[in-house]
Every structure is written in C-alpha cells, then in structure tokens.
C-alpha cells in the first residue's frame, strides 16, 4: 500500500483546490508554473485519500466534531460580545418586567411565551428559586413566537403594568394549563382585578408593540431560537431548567 505521506499530499492537493500547487506555495517567488503532480499522480493521490477515509471513517467523525466545537465556540463568543454591548437592555430593561428582589445580586433573564408548555412547566422552578433565595432578580422577556394568541397575551401583560398588576397577571397566564386564547386572556385579567376595558385600550399603545419588537430583535441577536431561554448573569441556558440546575447556575454566577 502506498505511503501515508501520499495521503497528506492528497490533503494538501485538495486544500490547494486541486490546481497542482501545494498549500503554502502561493507565497513563493513568481516563476513559470510547473505542476507539482502529474495528472496521473493527482488521480492516484485522490484515490488513495478516498481509500484511506473509507478504511478509517472515524476521521470524518473527528472532523465533524471539531467543526461543531469550533462553531459552538464562535457562537458563544459572539453571544458574549452581544451581552457585553447590550447589558442594560438585557438585564435592566426600561419596561421593568421584574419579579423577585429588584436589587438582587444575581439576575436571571427568561425569554418566554405564554403558550409555551415548557415555559409553563418551568415556572414553579423559578418561583421555588425566588422563594428560597431572596437575593435573586428575575427579568421577564416577553417573546411571543407561538401565534396570534401569544402576541395578545404579551401585549395584555405589558399593558397591565399601567394598572400595577404585571406580576399577578403574568402568574395567572403562565400557570393557566390550557392554551391561551383571547377569551381566556381577558377572563384571567378580570380575575386578577384588572380593568379589562382599560387594559384593551392600553394594549394599543405603541410602546407595548415596541417592547415586543425590541425583545424579538434582541433574541435574534443573542441567537435565542426558542422558549424558554434563560440567562443567568452572562451564561446562556437554552430550554427549561429545574430548580436544582437554576440554583447551581446562580451559585456559579456568585463565584
């Protein structure tokens, strides 16, 4: 069997675009172009590389894993840069949708949708953490991505701030077991003591739609592709988290 050196040569040949110019030779002093390999040699090398990869397919897995690790590292670095550049927008939003200790030493940020089953299942864990640790801030990011009813629910929740009942209304909607609908939203609003007629009027305020638009743009920049999406300090945790995992992430943040 031909030497493994030829496999390396084949890799170099492919990196050079199979032009006959070895990798790195582009910086050499200009001279009359002479192919490094004859056409027959090129075919032999390509055949040898193919034979070697078929005999050692784990190399392809290693290549894929290496690529995935590099892409993950690049994505995390880009995310960290966005967090640093837009820290206040993420952790101190002007809409002040905060539950828990407003002066807590660790901030948890959750992007959520009222029709998201995983968001609903995670809510008790969030409340357990806030009950057990009175020094945690929870910033809620309305991110309606599951249809028109979700959009109405988020607009209603944000409008409820004008009546001082955001937290109560949020709890009522996120703990409602069945899917949200416009009828359900206004029924829950009445149950928590909101003036529904005023709520409907306040929902039309442009500032409400602007908050949702900003949250969507921020989620896109942070590469948040679903709900729930949680940030504990500067660390990102996609998907629902248990109370234990949340507490561990908060402990890490305090370190």
């Amino acid at each position: 069997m031909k030497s493994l050196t030829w496999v390396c040569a084949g890799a170099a040949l492919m990196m050079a675009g199979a032009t006959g110019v070895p990798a790195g030779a582009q910086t050499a002093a200009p001279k009359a172009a002479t192919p490094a390999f004859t056409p027959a040699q090129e075919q032999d090398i390509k055949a040898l590389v193919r034979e070697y990869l078929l005999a050692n397919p784990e190399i392809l897995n290693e290549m894929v894993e290496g690529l995935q690790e590099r892409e993950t590292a690049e994505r995390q670095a880009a995310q960290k840069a966005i967090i640093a550049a837009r820290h206040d927008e993420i952790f101190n939003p002007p809409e002040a949708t905060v539950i828990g200790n407003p002066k807590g030493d660790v901030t948890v940020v959750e992007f959520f949708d009222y029709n998201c089953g995983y968001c609903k299942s995670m809510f008790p864990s969030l409340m357990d953490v806030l009950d057990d640790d009175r020094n945690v801030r929870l910033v809620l990011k309305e991110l309606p991505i599951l249809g028109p009813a979700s959009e109405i629910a988020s607009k209603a929740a944000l409008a409820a701030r004008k009546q001082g009942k955001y937290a109560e209304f949020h709890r009522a909607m996120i703990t409602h077991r069945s899917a949200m609908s416009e009828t359900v939203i206004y029924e829950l609003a009445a149950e928590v003591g909101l003036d529904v007629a005023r709520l409907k009027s306040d929902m039309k305020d442009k500032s409400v739609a602007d908050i949702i638009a900003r949250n969507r743009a921020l989620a896109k920049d942070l590469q948040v592709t679903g709900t729930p999406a949680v940030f504990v300090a500067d660390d990102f945790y996609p998907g629902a988290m248990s109370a234990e995992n949340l507490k561990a992430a908060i402990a890490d943040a305090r370190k």
Side-chain angles (χ1 to χ4, degrees), residues 110 112-124 126-127 167-177 180 188:
E110 182 198 15
F112 71 95
D113 183 302
Y114 287 110
N115 268 319
C116 166
Y118 293 108
C119 300
K120 291 178 181 292
S121 68
M122 182 178 165
F123 183 74
L126 285 169
M127 293 303 100
E168 296 94 324
F169 194 26
H170 171 79
R171 181 186 291 269
M173 288 197 289
I174 204 69
T175 58
H176 186 73
R177 291 188 177 275
M180 302 301 294
L188 294 173

Side-chain angles (χ1 to χ4, degrees), residues 155-156 159-160 162-163 169 182 185-205:
K155 286 183 175 180
K162 291 192 176 182
Q163 297 184 50
F169 194 26
E182 194 166 359
I185 290 165
Y186 297 133
E187 286 176 351
L188 294 173
E191 287 178 12
V192 299
L194 284 160
D195 179 332
V196 176
R198 179 184 172 188
L199 183 74
K200 290 180 179 180
S201 176
D202 290 339
M203 286 169 63
K204 298 174 184 177
D205 192 306

